[in-house]
Each structure stands twice: as C-alpha cells, then as structure tokens.
Amino acid sequence: MTTATTRHSDRRISPVFLGIVAVTAVTGWATWTGFAEEPGIAVFLFVTGAWIVSLCLHEYAHARTALHSGDITIGAKGYLSLNPLAYTHALLSIVLPVIFVIMGGIGLPGGAVFIERDRIRGRWRHSLISAAGPLTNVLFAVACTAPFWLNALDGVPGEFRAALAFLALLQVSAAILNFLPVPGLDGYGVIEPWLSRNIKRQIEPFAPFGLLFVFALLWVPQVNAVFFDLVDTVLRGLGVSEYEASYGWSLYRFWS
C-alpha cells in the first residue's frame, strides 16, 4: 500500500471546510447559550453546517481508505482536503442531501468520490472502501447521542438538545440508507466484490436509478412509517426520545 505520490498540499484542509466548521461552531454556541434572538435560525445553520461536515467526512473516509488500499490518485483529485467543492458530484454529495433534510428530515446519502478501482487488489479492500463512508455516519451518530446516554445534558437548553437529537436522527437515517444493498448505494458496494461477474453485469444497468428508487419508496406512507420506526428505535436505544428529535426538526424548519 503506497501513498508516496500524495503531496502534503493534497492533504491540506480546505478553507471552505474550515469555514463550514466555524459556522457550525458559532451557531451551535448561539443555540447553546440562547444568544440567538431567533433560535430556529441558529438551529437551522448549526444542523445544516454539521450535516455538511458529516457529508465531507463521509466522502473523506471513502477517499482515505481508497488511498491506503492502492489508489494513489486520490490526493491529486482534492478528496483529502475535505473540500465539498472537490467532489465528483458536488450536487449529489452536498446540495441534494441538504435539500432532502429540509424537505423531509431524511439523511439522504450523498454521491461518491471517483475511485480508480482497477488500482485496488483484494475484495476485502473494495468492501472496506464502500463501508468506510456509512461507518463514519455511525461514528457521527454515536458522538451526537453520547451526551444523551451519558446523561451529560442536565441544564442544557432544550433547543440545543433538540438540535443535537435531530442531527443524530439524520446520521442514523443516513447510515441505515447507506447500508442498504441497493445498486448505487454503499451497501451494494460492500457486497458487489463478492458477486459473480454474471450477476454484476445484470445489475449494472440499474445502478444509476438505485438512489431514486429508494427515495421514491420513502414517499410511500407504509414504507416511510417502517423506516422511521426503525430510526426511532435506534435513537431510543441511544437515549434520544422521539419528542426531542421531532422538536429539533420543527425548530430546524423555522419558516413553517
């Protein structure tokens, strides 16, 4: 596994990413302290900023794992800088996931970085590259819910608790959706290396429509109910109540 051709400048954190982190930190502080005159606006900026940060880390995890698995072209493409504008599909990776959060409170998976798979040897490495992204969402969900299951939020303003609960909901829903074994999603990428060439050839034409198919299913009331019941079950297991997550979403949609 070589990373010799990766320059230091390729790994320099992007000012764009640092700016998003700064906005997240400031609006999180404003929500925590009650400094914001309109808490909904602060919650919106805090959750949106944190959500974009998690999307960047999701893509970074794919890229970093690919780099250490043999794709030494990753650095030159800008994927290690955490710059959301450097992604192959910035619209799919950042803009659409944010829009779907606003529309339905769903942590929609983003697009993927372009990885030169022919440089990578071994099915386990291919699977790990695909799994790295959603595992980042899992870690983010654990970090968001840790204050709840550690009972570390006593005295914390309800608006901040609700914002953190809603952010946790987004991470849990993103992890679940990403791990679905549907073509075009990371879950399929995990199992694809283990499928026969004939099966992969039959599935390949449907890959561009996998995400669209999942999104369409989520608009079916029965499917939507089952999905969010699963998300709520996971959140309750992590100490987050359905009320707090729901309140967070209502604050997030401050315009409604």
Side-chain angles (χ1 to χ4, degrees):
M1 289 182 256
T2 177
T3 60
T5 62
T6 303
R7 299 169 301 178
H8 176 71
S9 59
D10 294 333
R11 301 191 298 270
R12 188 176 297 134
I13 298 178
S14 163
V16 175
F17 178 78
L18 292 176
I20 296 170
V21 171
V23 169
T24 304
V26 170
T27 53
W29 170 82
T31 304
W32 178 290
T33 61
F35 179 81
E37 187 174 334
E38 293 291 338
I41 297 176
V43 168
F44 175 82
L45 293 174
F46 168 62
V47 173
T48 300
W51 175 235
I52 294 175
V53 167
S54 74
L55 292 172
C56 292
L57 292 173
H58 176 113
E59 302 297 352
Y60 176 85
H62 283 307
R64 192 76 190 191
T65 308
L67 174 67
H68 289 286
S69 297
D71 185 358
I72 58 176
T73 69
I74 287 295
K77 295 170 183 172
Y79 297 156
L80 301 179
S81 68
L82 290 166
N83 184 356
L85 303 179
Y87 299 141
T88 309
H89 298 292
L91 176 65
L92 292 177
S93 296
I94 303 298
V95 179
L96 282 182
V98 171
I99 289 175
F100 283 115
V101 168
I102 294 172
M103 289 176 57
I106 299 172
L108 188 74
V113 295
F114 178 72
I115 296 169
E116 296 187 16
R117 294 275 182 172
D118 57 336
R119 292 176 176 267
I120 298 164
R121 298 290 179 266
R123 290 182 292 184
W124 280 108
R125 290 179 181 175
H126 285 279
S127 294
L128 185 58
I129 290 169
S130 295
L135 285 175
T136 302
N137 292 111
V138 171
L139 292 176
F140 215 105
V142 171
C144 289
T145 58
F148 291 90
W149 46 266
L150 290 174
N151 297 315
L153 290 173
D154 292 340
V156 174
E159 288 80 7
F160 185 82
R161 289 178 60 105
L164 205 58
F166 179 54
L167 182 58
L169 180 149
L170 296 180
Q171 299 302 327
V172 170
S173 62
I176 292 173
L177 289 174
N178 265 298
F179 272 125
L180 291 176
V182 176
L185 297 181
D186 291 328
Y188 176 74
V190 172
I191 66 172
E192 183 185 25
W194 308 90
L195 300 177
S196 69
R197 188 171 301 175
N198 183 48
I199 292 177
K200 287 191 285 188
R201 188 166 51 246
Q202 293 178 23
I203 293 176
E204 186 176 357
F206 301 99
F209 309 104
L211 184 58
L212 181 62
F213 173 73
V214 170
F215 175 66
L217 275 181
L218 287 173
W219 283 99
V220 177
Q222 295 84 349
V223 176
N224 186 278
V226 170
F227 174 73
F228 276 104
D229 281 346
L230 176 59
V231 172
D232 289 337
T233 299
V234 174
L235 287 176
R236 283 197 301 273
L238 294 171
V240 180
S241 70
E242 182 179 354
Y243 168 77
E244 286 174 310
S246 179
Y247 180 40
W249 189 43
S250 67
L251 285 173
Y252 183 83
R253 293 171 55 86
F254 66 90
W255 60 88
S256 61

